[in-house]
Amino acid sequence: QAAVSSIATDALFDVREDISGMEGQSLSDSYGRYVFGDEVQQKRLPANVYMALRETIDSGKTLSADIADEIANAMKEWAVEHGATHYTHWFQPMTGLTAEKHDSFLRPTEGGTAILKFSGRQLSQGEPDASSFPSGGLRATFEARGYTAWDPSSPAFLRKSASGATLCIPSVFCSWTGAALDKKTPLLRSCQAISKAAVRMLQSVGENAVTRVAPTTGIEQEYFLVDKQFYHLRPDLMATGRTLFGCAPYKGQEFDDHYFGSISVRVLDFMRDLEKELWLLGVPVMTRHNEVAPSQFELAPQFSGVSVSVDQNMLTMSVLGDVASRHGLVAMMHEKPYQGFNGSGKHMNWSIGDNLGNNLLEPGKTPHENLKFMLVLTAIIRAVDLHQDLLRVSIASAGNDHRLGANEAPPAIISIFVGDQLSEVIDAMIEGRSPDSPDQESLRLGVDALPQLPKDISDRNRTSPFAFTGNKFEFRAVSSNQSVAYPAAFLNTIVAESMDHITNEIEARGGSSATTIQEVVRETLAKHRRILFDGDNYSEEWVEEAARRELLNRRTTPEALAAMDSEKNAALFEAYHVLTRDEFESRRNVASEIYVSRIRVEARATVDMAATIILPAAIAAQRQLAETTQAVRQIDASLPVDAQVQALRLTCELTGQLQARVADLRAAMEKVEGLEEGHEPIEHAQAMLKHVVPAMVQVRDVADRLEKEVDDDLWPLPKYRELMFIR
Ligand code: ADP
Ligand code: MG
């Protein structure tokens, strides 16, 4: 293991040279140095080329071949100056990870020499032989392979290490028939959908200068750190990202002493390195702190346009891993590495902004701004209520099932928090009265009978899955290791549909007079009021109340996947050109397959570790106890050996139970695997949940009891008390 660590450390050492100079003024000069961003583009491209590129970024206009050639050449020169030898289209297949296949800039010439070359065509399109990525049935492996296409909405960047650098070109990934095989394409399409719907809605109320609207996101990322030495001794962490065995340590999170606590020197060193590397990559990380569980942390960047933000989050997760490795640590993004402790999530802060620079979720200061805000808010409330199932499935995964509803993260019930003041405004509106607000700071809407709006919504509720926090929504049920591309794409799409619905209603009633708008807003809010909940989402009462309100409570991934089996949802995504029916179905299949694979790997690891690591330790403990008992008796038969015999009996019993439960788990796996033929992937996922998941819990229960009995010297796995407290 020492060898493993030192190899990784050497290979990654180099970025440190750039980082070590980052102090004082050079800090701001270094920011974004690894990014072919706007400033570099402007400096290195001829004016007409730069303008053409900007237009492509802003409006999606296609670039001509010679302009693409000029951009490619400038990118190559810049990258080579930074030590790059290769480029890659960097894309996000349905695995949920990023993918890359590197090609060299080097072109051999006839005379046995070589030149460096990068053409517009190479920049624009790649043909990786990427037939092994999941396609959910969209594309048989024997068919034409997929291709990658440059996505200029997110800037190219460099990944550096001691031996050189690679130019990474953010890309989408499609089949030759044009079907989206990735997570990024539906996201980009959903941005167009919400822009179109929002512009239409705003123009219908007289906002004619609004021609484009774009979602913005700021993604807070939680993670755990563990010492690399311990990590390598835990096959479960290595294979599945979570501990499949392990008892609670003496001291857990009961003192709340880790949350916002002072950051240890070793971790702070790591964080400084991490932030500097992210700054070089133009990722605006602003915040760092300790989270609730021991050895759990969080970072948060400044928000940006959703395409850039999603890419930067994927990059952040990758850099987290690299930098942790340099520090002898492993960064874990699994949703629930440790049973009994808070797991990790991602908070997706989301809003929409228009081309005039307005945040559409800013309540605003004038009656007209208030009105716009109320319309947007109403559209979102309606969207979330109507499409709870889609938001739920957008964050569903085997790992997140451990977190949602476990008193640490929002429940699987989707609801919206808007806070007291806004709730009162909404209720007053529904009831057609003036809001009951003594608050002098409140703003008058000015329009007759439209209620007052609070200027600042500062109260917070950390338990809500979807909370309004003043000028944005915070989707808190997102899981730590997932790409936010789906949650963002799904949210954009359902809000687009809702905005269209509202515009249709306004138009059907003869236009945008204040009374008409007010009427539509009031009716829509009345219909969807049930989705608003400001109370404690962790409480049992809420589960009951939500059931009375007939809100969905899909606790597990296989249940949540029903949303992908729905005709209404397939039609919605088709209508908004976000996913075709085939693409929609493929997402359902891939999600089911990933669920099945994750549970399968966990089950295999559980069986193997129980049989080959834990059982032998228990048997060794028996031998030790038996030999000791016998030896004591031999010396003097009258010596008391009750304690040894009792310990031996318990260990023998538990060992027997462990063996039996492992056999049960094996049988459950065989039963479910036998299903594969002729069954839909979703049925396979349901069977895994029903048979294999509970059988794994059974094995763990008895193994964890053994951990409490067996001599610590004989216990082969690092325990929670060792894993969770980084020194
Ligand atoms: P908190 O969650 O403690 O309220 P902040 O309000 O500072 O923290 O914001 C959290 C995240 O929300 C940050 O990433 C921030 O950039 C992001 N954010 C702020 N405004 C917007 C917006 N209009 N759209 C999307 N994200 C935003
Ligand atoms: Mg937050």
Side-chain angles (χ1 to χ4, degrees), residues 385 388 405 410-416 463-465 528-555:
D385 185 36
Q388 301 155 44
I413 306 161
I414 301 288
S415 66
I416 302 179
T463 68
S464 175
H528 300 286
R529 173 72 179 79
R530 65 166 187 168
I531 198 71
L532 303 183
F533 179 64
D534 286 350
D536 180 2
N537 286 252
Y538 293 179
S539 69
E540 199 43 47
E541 293 82 70
W542 170 231
V543 176
E544 289 159 19
E545 168 63 20
R548 276 194 292 278
R549 294 188 191 184
E550 294 181 18
L551 298 179
L552 293 178
N553 185 5
R554 295 186 171 163
R555 303 202 50 143

Coordinates of all heavy atoms in Angstrom, one line a residue, residues 385 388 405 410-416 463-465 528-555:
D385 N -45.7 20.4 -8.0 CA -46.8 19.6 -7.6 C -47.3 18.6 -8.6 O -47.4 17.4 -8.3 CB -48.0 20.5 -7.2 CG -49.2 19.7 -6.6 OD1 -48.9 18.7 -5.9 OD2 -50.4 20.0 -6.9
Q388 N -44.1 15.8 -9.2 CA -43.3 15.3 -8.0 C -42.6 14.1 -8.4 O -41.4 13.9 -8.0 CB -44.2 14.9 -6.8 CG -45.1 16.0 -6.3 CD -46.3 15.3 -5.6 OE1 -46.2 14.4 -4.9 NE2 -47.5 15.9 -5.8
G405 N -35.1 10.5 3.8 CA -36.0 10.1 4.9 C -35.4 9.4 6.0 O -36.0 8.9 6.9
P410 N -33.8 15.4 3.3 CA -35.3 15.4 3.1 C -35.8 14.1 2.9 O -35.1 13.2 2.4 CB -35.4 16.3 1.9 CG -34.1 17.0 1.7 CD -33.1 16.2 2.4
P411 N -37.1 13.9 3.2 CA -37.7 12.6 2.9 C -37.9 12.4 1.4 O -37.6 13.3 0.6 CB -39.1 12.7 3.6 CG -39.4 14.1 3.6 CD -38.1 14.8 3.7
A412 N -38.4 11.2 1.0 CA -38.6 11.0 -0.4 C -39.9 11.7 -0.9 O -40.2 11.7 -2.1 CB -38.7 9.5 -0.7
I413 N -40.6 12.4 0.0 CA -41.8 13.1 -0.4 C -41.3 14.5 -0.8 O -40.6 15.2 -0.1 CB -42.7 13.4 0.9 CG1 -43.0 12.0 1.5 CG2 -43.9 14.2 0.5 CD1 -43.5 12.2 3.0
I414 N -41.7 14.8 -2.1 CA -41.3 16.1 -2.6 C -42.3 17.2 -2.2 O -43.5 17.0 -2.3 CB -41.3 16.1 -4.2 CG1 -40.2 15.0 -4.6 CG2 -41.0 17.5 -4.7 CD1 -38.8 15.4 -4.4
S415 N -41.8 18.3 -1.6 CA -42.7 19.4 -1.2 C -41.9 20.7 -1.3 O -40.7 20.6 -1.5 CB -43.2 19.3 0.2 OG -42.2 19.3 1.1
I416 N -42.6 21.8 -1.2 CA -41.9 23.1 -1.3 C -42.0 23.9 0.0 O -43.0 24.0 0.5 CB -42.5 24.0 -2.5 CG1 -42.4 23.2 -3.8 CG2 -41.8 25.3 -2.6 CD1 -43.1 24.0 -4.9
T463 N -34.9 21.2 6.4 CA -35.4 19.8 6.2 C -36.2 19.7 4.9 O -36.6 18.6 4.5 CB -36.4 19.4 7.4 OG1 -37.5 20.2 7.3 CG2 -35.7 19.6 8.7
S464 N -36.4 20.8 4.2 CA -37.3 20.7 3.0 C -36.5 20.3 1.8 O -35.3 20.7 1.6 CB -37.9 22.1 2.7 OG -38.6 22.1 1.5
P465 N -37.1 19.5 1.0 CA -36.3 19.0 -0.2 C -36.2 20.1 -1.3 O -35.3 20.1 -2.1 CB -37.2 17.9 -0.8 CG -38.5 18.1 -0.2 CD -38.4 18.8 1.1
H528 N -52.8 24.0 -6.3 CA -51.5 23.3 -6.0 C -51.0 23.7 -4.6 O -49.8 23.4 -4.3 CB -50.5 23.6 -7.1 CG -50.9 23.2 -8.5 ND1 -51.0 21.8 -8.8 CD2 -51.5 23.8 -9.5 CE1 -51.5 21.7 -10.1 NE2 -51.8 22.9 -10.5
R529 N -51.8 24.3 -3.8 CA -51.4 24.7 -2.5 C -50.8 23.6 -1.7 O -50.0 23.7 -0.8 CB -52.6 25.3 -1.8 CG -52.4 25.7 -0.3 CD -51.5 26.9 -0.2 NE -51.3 27.3 1.2 CZ -50.5 26.7 2.1 NH1 -49.8 25.6 1.7 NH2 -50.3 27.2 3.3
R530 N -51.3 22.4 -1.9 CA -51.0 21.2 -1.1 C -49.5 20.9 -1.1 O -49.0 20.2 -0.2 CB -51.7 20.0 -1.6 CG -51.4 19.6 -3.0 CD -51.8 18.2 -3.4 NE -51.3 17.8 -4.7 CZ -51.3 16.6 -5.2 NH1 -51.9 15.6 -4.5 NH2 -50.8 16.3 -6.3
I531 N -48.8 21.3 -2.2 CA -47.4 21.0 -2.3 C -46.5 21.9 -1.3 O -45.3 21.6 -1.1 CB -46.9 21.1 -3.7 CG1 -45.5 20.4 -4.0 CG2 -46.7 22.6 -4.1 CD1 -45.6 18.9 -4.0
L532 N -47.1 22.9 -0.8 CA -46.3 23.8 0.1 C -46.4 23.3 1.5 O -47.4 23.0 2.1 CB -46.9 25.2 0.1 CG -47.0 25.9 -1.2 CD1 -47.6 27.3 -1.1 CD2 -45.7 26.0 -1.9
F533 N -45.2 23.2 2.1 CA -45.1 22.7 3.5 C -43.9 23.4 4.2 O -42.7 23.2 3.7 CB -45.0 21.2 3.6 CG -44.8 20.7 5.0 CD1 -45.9 20.8 5.9 CD2 -43.7 20.0 5.4 CE1 -45.8 20.4 7.2 CE2 -43.6 19.5 6.7 CZ -44.6 19.7 7.6
D534 N -44.1 24.1 5.2 CA -43.1 24.9 5.9 C -42.6 24.2 7.2 O -41.6 24.6 7.8 CB -43.5 26.3 6.3 CG -43.6 27.2 5.0 OD1 -43.1 26.8 4.0 OD2 -44.1 28.3 5.2
G535 N -43.3 23.1 7.6 CA -42.9 22.5 8.8 C -41.7 21.5 8.7 O -40.9 21.6 7.8
D536 N -41.6 20.7 9.7 CA -40.5 19.8 9.8 C -40.7 18.5 8.9 O -41.5 17.7 9.2 CB -40.3 19.3 11.3 CG -39.1 18.3 11.5 OD1 -38.4 18.1 10.5 OD2 -38.9 17.9 12.6
N537 N -39.9 18.5 7.8 CA -40.0 17.4 6.9 C -39.5 16.1 7.4 O -39.8 15.1 6.8 CB -39.3 17.8 5.6 CG -40.0 18.8 4.7 OD1 -40.6 18.5 3.7 ND2 -40.0 20.0 5.2
Y538 N -38.8 16.1 8.5 CA -38.2 14.9 9.0 C -39.2 14.2 9.9 O -39.0 13.0 10.3 CB -36.9 15.1 9.9 CG -35.7 15.7 9.1 CD1 -34.6 16.0 9.8 CD2 -35.8 15.8 7.7 CE1 -33.4 16.4 9.1 CE2 -34.7 16.3 7.1 CZ -33.5 16.6 7.7 OH -32.4 17.1 7.1
S539 N -40.3 14.9 10.3 CA -41.2 14.3 11.3 C -42.1 13.2 10.7 O -42.4 13.2 9.5 CB -42.0 15.4 11.9 OG -43.0 15.9 11.0
E540 N -42.5 12.3 11.6 CA -43.5 11.3 11.3 C -44.8 11.9 10.9 O -45.5 11.4 10.0 CB -43.6 10.4 12.5 CG -44.2 9.0 12.2 CD -43.6 8.3 10.9 OE1 -42.4 8.3 10.7 OE2 -44.5 7.8 10.2
E541 N -45.2 13.0 11.6 CA -46.5 13.7 11.3 C -46.5 14.1 9.8 O -47.6 14.1 9.2 CB -46.7 15.0 12.2 CG -46.9 14.7 13.7 CD -45.6 14.5 14.4 OE1 -44.8 15.4 14.5 OE2 -45.2 13.3 14.8
W542 N -45.4 14.6 9.3 CA -45.4 15.0 7.9 C -45.7 13.9 7.0 O -46.4 14.0 6.0 CB -44.1 15.7 7.6 CG -44.0 16.0 6.1 CD1 -42.9 15.7 5.3 CD2 -44.9 16.7 5.2 NE1 -43.1 16.1 4.0 CE2 -44.4 16.7 3.9 CE3 -46.2 17.2 5.4 CZ2 -45.0 17.3 2.8 CZ3 -46.9 17.8 4.3 CH2 -46.3 17.8 3.0
V543 N -45.1 12.7 7.3 CA -45.4 11.6 6.4 C -46.9 11.3 6.4 O -47.4 11.0 5.3 CB -44.6 10.3 7.0 CG1 -44.9 9.1 6.1 CG2 -43.1 10.6 6.9
E544 N -47.5 11.4 7.6 CA -49.0 11.1 7.6 C -49.7 12.3 6.9 O -50.7 12.0 6.1 CB -49.4 11.0 9.1 CG -49.0 9.7 9.7 CD -48.9 9.8 11.2 OE1 -49.6 10.7 11.8 OE2 -48.2 9.0 11.8
E545 N -49.3 13.5 7.2 CA -50.0 14.6 6.6 C -49.9 14.6 5.0 O -50.8 14.8 4.3 CB -49.4 15.9 7.1 CG -49.8 17.2 6.5 CD -51.3 17.5 6.5 OE1 -52.0 17.0 7.4 OE2 -51.7 18.3 5.6
A546 N -48.7 14.2 4.6 CA -48.4 14.2 3.1 C -49.3 13.1 2.5 O -49.8 13.3 1.4 CB -47.0 13.9 2.9
A547 N -49.5 12.0 3.2 CA -50.4 10.9 2.7 C -51.8 11.5 2.6 O -52.5 11.2 1.6 CB -50.4 9.7 3.6
R548 N -52.3 12.3 3.6 CA -53.6 12.9 3.5 C -53.7 13.8 2.3 O -54.7 13.9 1.7 CB -53.9 13.6 4.8 CG -54.5 12.7 6.0 CD -55.1 13.6 7.1 NE -54.1 14.3 7.8 CZ -53.3 13.8 8.8 NH1 -53.4 12.6 9.1 NH2 -52.4 14.6 9.4
R549 N -52.6 14.5 2.1 CA -52.6 15.4 0.9 C -52.4 14.7 -0.4 O -52.4 15.3 -1.5 CB -51.5 16.5 1.1 CG -51.7 17.4 2.2 CD -50.6 18.5 2.1 NE -50.5 19.3 3.3 CZ -49.7 20.3 3.5 NH1 -48.9 20.7 2.5 NH2 -49.7 21.0 4.6
E550 N -52.3 13.4 -0.3 CA -52.1 12.6 -1.5 C -50.8 12.9 -2.3 O -50.8 12.9 -3.5 CB -53.3 12.5 -2.4 CG -54.5 11.9 -1.7 CD -55.7 11.9 -2.6 OE1 -55.6 12.0 -3.8 OE2 -56.8 11.7 -2.0
L551 N -49.8 13.3 -1.5 CA -48.5 13.6 -2.2 C -47.8 12.2 -2.3 O -48.0 11.3 -1.5 CB -47.6 14.5 -1.3 CG -48.2 15.9 -1.1 CD1 -47.3 16.8 -0.3 CD2 -48.4 16.6 -2.5
L552 N -46.9 12.1 -3.3 CA -46.2 10.8 -3.5 C -45.1 10.6 -2.4 O -44.5 11.5 -2.0 CB -45.6 10.8 -4.8 CG -46.5 10.8 -6.1 CD1 -45.6 10.8 -7.3 CD2 -47.4 9.6 -6.0
N553 N -45.0 9.3 -2.0 CA -43.9 9.0 -1.1 C -43.2 7.7 -1.7 O -43.6 6.6 -1.2 CB -44.4 8.8 0.3 CG -43.2 8.6 1.3 OD1 -42.1 8.6 0.9 ND2 -43.6 8.3 2.5
R554 N -42.3 7.9 -2.6 CA -41.7 6.8 -3.2 C -40.3 6.6 -2.6 O -39.4 7.3 -3.0 CB -41.6 7.0 -4.8 CG -43.0 7.0 -5.3 CD -43.0 7.1 -6.8 NE -44.4 6.9 -7.3 CZ -44.8 7.2 -8.5 NH1 -44.0 7.7 -9.4 NH2 -46.0 7.0 -8.9
R555 N -40.3 5.7 -1.7 CA -39.1 5.6 -0.8 C -37.9 5.1 -1.4 O -36.8 5.4 -1.0 CB -39.5 4.8 0.4 CG -40.7 5.4 1.2 CD -40.7 4.9 2.6 NE -39.3 5.1 3.2 CZ -39.1 5.5 4.4 NH1 -40.1 5.7 5.2 NH2 -37.9 5.7 4.9

